[in-house]
Amino acid sequence: MRLALILAAMAALAGCTAFPEVEARTSRADEPAPPLLPLNELLARAGTPTVTPETQASLEARAAALRARAASLQSAPAEP
């Protein structure tokens, strides 16, 4: 009973926290919009893709290891 009263008092106090005012946030209405660039220019900036067959093989190996770990965790009994 006493624990429930303490928990209720703590929950009531947590509800009294001060929230930041929404109006106090900075507005981006005064800032200019970012420039829109053509797709070809963006692709040229991006460069060539860095995914290689070795990257794919390492990702597949990592995925297999994670699946094996998940399977072992699911089959393990829960500790009390």
Side-chain angles (χ1 to χ4, degrees):
M1 177 70 178
R2 185 174 183 176
L3 178 64
L5 183 61
I6 291 172
L7 290 176
M10 289 176 63
L13 288 175
C16 296
T17 187
F19 291 102
E21 293 185 28
V22 177
E23 291 81 21
R25 293 187 179 201
T26 59
S27 174
R28 294 187 176 223
D30 299 335
E31 296 179 16
L36 297 178
L37 300 175
L39 182 60
N40 292 336
E41 186 177 334
L42 291 174
L43 291 175
R45 286 186 186 180
T48 59
T50 58
V51 176
T52 63
E54 292 83 20
T55 306
Q56 182 176 356
S58 68
L59 286 176
E60 288 174 355
R62 183 173 177 215
L66 288 172
R67 284 189 197 99
R69 182 175 176 209
S72 68
L73 288 173
Q74 288 176 348
S75 63
E79 295 181 15

